[in-house]
Amino acid sequence: MLLPRNVALMVLALALPACSVRRLAANSLGNALAEGGSTYASDDDPELVADATPFALKTMEALIEESPRHERLLGATAAGFTQYGYAFLQQQADFVEAEDLAKATHLRNRARRLYLRALDYGLRGLEVDFPGLRERLRTDRQAALAATRREHVPLLFWTATAWGAAIALAKDDAELTADQATAEALMRRAMALDEAHENGAGHDFFILYEGGRSSVGGSLTRAREHLERSVAISRGRRAAPYVAFAETASVARQDRTEFEAMLGRALEVDPDAAKELRLSNRIYQKRARWLLARADELFVE
């Protein structure tokens, strides 16, 4: 496993007296950490990852303090905070809400703050190559993103994901909700450059985006199109798109048969078939089981 050796290197890097030497060491370790996500993604124990991730994220933040323009490390930190916020805070809030509303509210508030932290790291990463991007996104999104290249796809993807996740938990925040079109623009640019990034997970963003807004401008037809593309790109190895479609589009249509079928397909995915998808599949299959148990609450007979 990568982490213990890297932690020792971090301690050494931060103890070095010369700023330039410390930054060189931090950059080297930052590269290693930015590439080390597969250790977590392939794990089959979500609780173990939940316990280990906060320390890893704080390590990455310490390195960013030493090397604030490390683009790949900024992107990896944005990704880490976004994934941790969803998998281990927001989802847990959903699971406990019926028994403990106060705890669920606390967990969602924490998740929202981490999404906003992730968003800041993502934008900082993009501004390494595109100074002033934040402001230009407010005036002309398409022009601001036009120069981004395939190498920027991870930053575009995770910045958009963090932004969308924060918006979803802040429906009472008019200023943040107004940024919805900007988050959409970042994800569309990421997909235009590399539709297959993260095994087609950009389409999951739009399953939720279209399916969750079906009464206010979204489209269940477009949500289904994104589902089909996500499944095709991942060759059916990911549970996430089925879960996303079931809890947005199927619930919106009040189609319980479809809902149960989609979640059944999610549970049929072999979580061990693709090592790099193991953790994600276990997390989404847990959500699928929880949703099935709530079917009587979600559908009016």
Side-chain angles (χ1 to χ4, degrees):
M1 187 174 175
L2 205 54
L3 189 57
R5 183 181 66 180
N6 283 347
V7 170
L9 287 172
M10 182 199 74
V11 173
L12 174 62
L14 299 183
L16 291 170
C19 180
S20 60
V21 177
R22 288 171 61 181
R23 183 162 297 173
L24 180 63
N27 283 340
S28 178
L29 179 53
N31 288 334
L33 285 174
E35 295 172 355
S38 61
T39 301
Y40 289 84
S42 62
D43 205 293
D44 65 355
D45 189 332
E47 287 75 19
L48 178 64
V49 174
D51 290 341
T53 301
F55 180 75
L57 290 172
K58 292 307 295 180
T59 300
M60 295 163 84
E61 287 193 309
L63 290 170
I64 288 172
E65 287 292 317
E66 291 298 318
S67 186
R69 291 177 57 79
H70 193 303
E71 186 174 326
R72 292 173 62 206
L73 183 58
L74 287 162
T77 306
F81 274 112
T82 304
Q83 292 173 94
Y84 181 81
Y86 178 75
F88 305 120
L89 296 179
Q90 183 178 341
Q91 183 157 257
Q92 187 62 22
D94 292 341
F95 294 164
V96 305
E97 183 171 30
E99 292 77 33
D100 193 337
L101 179 58
K103 183 177 180 180
T105 300
H106 172 69
L107 288 168
R108 289 196 183 100
N109 287 337
R110 283 190 63 203
R112 177 186 172 188
R113 290 195 298 272
L114 293 191
Y115 294 149
L116 292 173
R117 191 183 302 197
L119 170 59
D120 182 64
Y121 284 125
L123 289 171
R124 284 173 60 181
L126 288 166
E127 287 194 316
V128 171
D129 287 341
F130 307 102
L133 180 73
R134 296 181 200 229
E135 289 305 313
R136 286 186 285 120
L137 283 171
R138 297 183 185 281
T139 56
D140 190 338
R141 289 184 289 267
Q142 302 307 319
L145 296 171
T148 54
R149 304 178 297 278
R150 191 183 180 98
E151 67 199 68
H152 300 113
V153 167
L155 276 165
L156 291 166
F157 177 90
W158 288 111
T159 304
T161 301
W163 216 330
I167 290 168
L169 290 184
K171 293 183 173 63
D172 58 342
D173 186 332
E175 183 176 352
L176 186 57
T177 302
D179 292 334
Q180 185 168 276
T182 304
E184 177 189 358
L186 265 70
M187 187 61 79
R188 290 199 186 281
R189 180 60 178 166
M191 292 172 64
L193 292 167
D194 183 5
E195 184 189 11
H197 182 68
E198 295 285 349
N199 287 281
H203 286 286
D204 300 0
F205 177 98
F206 286 106
I207 293 171
L208 296 168
Y209 185 72
E210 298 289 353
R213 300 181 312 125
S214 58
S215 61
V216 287
S219 165
L220 297 179
T221 298
R222 288 195 295 271
R224 186 176 295 280
E225 291 169 354
H226 285 293
L227 168 68
E228 292 170 355
R229 285 300 299 153
S230 183
V231 171
I233 292 168
S234 66
R235 302 194 301 280
R237 299 177 303 161
R238 297 175 56 246
Y242 299 119
V243 175
F245 190 87
E247 69 175 318
T248 55
S250 299
V251 171
R253 294 177 57 203
Q254 284 293 284
D255 188 334
R256 183 165 180 165
T257 299
E258 177 185 71
F259 173 84
E260 292 175 346
M262 286 290 163
L263 295 177
R265 291 178 70 179
L267 293 172
E268 288 171 0
V269 172
D270 180 357
D272 299 316
K275 181 180 176 182
E276 72 278 12
L277 299 173
R278 184 180 291 147
L279 180 65
S280 172
N281 279 330
R282 291 191 184 280
I283 288 168
Y284 278 99
Q285 287 179 334
K286 182 177 181 179
R287 187 169 189 84
R289 295 185 186 95
W290 173 75
L291 285 165
L292 283 169
R294 294 186 63 232
D296 288 344
E297 304 169 37
L298 297 171
F299 293 91
V300 179
E301 296 296 340

